[in-house]
Amino acid sequence: MSDIRCIGIATGGGDAPGLNAVIRAATKAAIVEHNWKVIGIPDGFDGLIWPEKSFELTLDSVSGILPRGGTILGTTNRGNPFHYKSADGGTRDISDQVIANAKKLGIDAIITIGGDGSQKIGCELFQKGMKMVGVPKTIDNDLSATELTFGFDTALHTVTDAIDKIHTTGASHHRVMVVEVMGRDCGWIALAGGIAGGAHVILIPEIPFTIKNICDYITRRESGGGRDFTIVVVAEGVKLPPELKENRRASSVGNLIGNAIAAQSDKEVRVSVLGHIQRGGSPSPFDRVLATRFGVAAVELIAEGNFGKMVALRASKIVAVDMADAIGHLKAVRPDGELVHTARAIGIGFGDEEI
Ligand code: F6P
């Protein structure tokens, strides 16, 4: 058992719907179950560089935050105490200062809620003696240690709603509608959102495609299937065919692919880049429940003295995995996996040779 009186909570990396639900659940469980003091650390680990900015989280201060998107603690995807950017443009290691400041605040253990980057920092702080527990977060759902991260389901709701709307206008104007979605280097949002939204073509980083194959698909769909509009969902991380690669920096991949389809077909094409609306809004019921389970489980790990662990969802159960094992492994979509198979079975194209 651990001798804990006060815990800190930090949110790091890009925000995701459900962060506030974790903060609320962990704060409530810490206060109600254990009578611990809870300190909110603002803006990821940056908050421990300026400890005076930290503030106490109480039952009152977390009341009403469950349905709120974003994070009441603030976040950053730049702050890393092991590579802190100094004013002279260089980087230095200020992790000792961060640990000392946590001690000054009376913090005995920290819950770090974040993606791979935040968990890596958490793991390094743990290796330096700080009592750390991790909660995984990302709308991209690309952490291999956990079957699901909260934020993903809410992002899928947003993407599905957007594709539904794009469907009606695309069908009315007989256009090719390209929808670019987030997901970083993995195609989970595009694949699941595309299936949920009834997309016809889904382009993901894990499956190489050509513009010609997409245009052939559209022609087949129009001539054989009698359909005169097509929805193409594009993951932001797709690997562009060589002829488009040079322009990647100049434009969004959705626009590059949309322009290329327009140039190689006689179709009118319109492009929508969904962007950060996928990260915003109120968390879905599924994400609220998952985030709450994660928050409570993180507090339980601290109570058990089980540090250097990250909570995860496996076979529908919340488990603890070593932070060190959880980091650095991307969970890519498997091109031969069940979800891609399902999509192909209902006629969805991936821009590759397989029809
Ligand atoms: O990891 C979440 C995510 O939204 C990615 O899908 C996207 O590539 C990235 O963050 C965007 O980051 P930023 O908010 O820094 O533009």
Side-chain angles (χ1 to χ4, degrees), residues 80-88 90-95 97:
N80 180 344
F82 292 92
H83 301 280
Y84 181 70
K85 287 216 169 61
S86 350
D88 61 6
T91 59
R92 62 200 169 96
D93 180 351
I94 56 159
S95 54
Q97 186 189 328

Side-chain angles (χ1 to χ4, degrees), residues 9-25:
I9 303 179
T11 51
D15 69 324
L19 281 171
N20 284 326
V22 181
I23 295 166
R24 169 181 174 269

Side-chain angles (χ1 to χ4, degrees), residues 21-86:
V22 181
I23 295 166
R24 169 181 174 269
T27 301
K28 282 189 157 199
I31 295 172
V32 174
E33 294 276 304
H34 303 286
N35 205 20
W36 296 337
K37 182 176 176 184
V38 184
I39 292 187
I41 302 167
D43 298 333
F45 293 105
D46 276 9
L48 287 175
I49 302 170
W50 298 282
E52 64 283 359
K53 290 189 179 169
S54 295
F55 52 92
E56 186 168 352
L57 291 171
T58 61
L59 293 179
D60 268 355
S61 59
V62 298
S63 170
I65 67 171
L66 176 66
R68 271 171 62 182
T71 160
I72 60 163
L73 298 178
T75 186
T76 171
N77 45 18
R78 287 187 302 274
N80 180 344
F82 292 92
H83 301 280
Y84 181 70
K85 287 216 169 61
S86 350

Side-chain angles (χ1 to χ4, degrees), residues 73-232:
L73 298 178
T75 186
T76 171
N77 45 18
R78 287 187 302 274
N80 180 344
F82 292 92
H83 301 280
Y84 181 70
K85 287 216 169 61
S86 350
D88 61 6
T91 59
R92 62 200 169 96
D93 180 351
I94 56 159
S95 54
D96 285 334
Q97 186 189 328
V98 158
I99 292 174
N101 284 340
K103 298 256 156 72
K104 240 186 251 168
L105 288 165
I107 294 173
D108 300 310
I110 296 177
I111 297 176
T112 173
I113 315 168
D116 197 61
S118 309
Q119 300 308 331
K120 185 164 185 291
I121 296 168
C123 186
E124 286 176 282
L125 289 173
F126 171 67
Q127 281 155 0
K128 289 193 79 164
M130 189 73 222
K131 291 172 175 161
M132 303 294 301
V133 163
V135 174
K137 160 256 40 160
T138 163
I139 64 162
D140 305 329
N141 199 34
D142 59 356
L143 297 182
S144 61
T146 182
E147 278 165 14
L148 280 172
T149 44
F150 63 86
F152 177 61
D153 184 64
T154 308
L156 288 187
H157 276 74
T158 302
V159 169
T160 304
D161 181 50
I163 299 174
D164 284 350
K165 287 173 175 152
I166 282 165
H167 232 104
T168 54
T169 171
S172 304
H173 284 266
H174 325 297
R175 286 171 168 158
V176 172
M177 304 299 282
V178 175
V179 186
E180 183 188 312
V181 301
M182 283 184 165
R184 217 176 272 273
D185 297 318
C186 294
W188 292 109
I189 295 179
L191 179 57
I195 293 173
H200 310 110
V201 177
I202 300 175
L203 305 177
I204 58 175
E206 295 86 348
I207 301 182
F209 65 93
T210 66
I211 299 298
K212 179 175 181 308
N213 288 339
I214 301 169
C215 292
D216 287 351
Y217 178 100
I218 294 168
T219 308
R220 270 197 314 275
R221 181 173 151 77
E222 298 217 348
S223 52
R227 305 288 187 184
D228 58 4
F229 76 101
T230 301
I231 310 274
V232 181

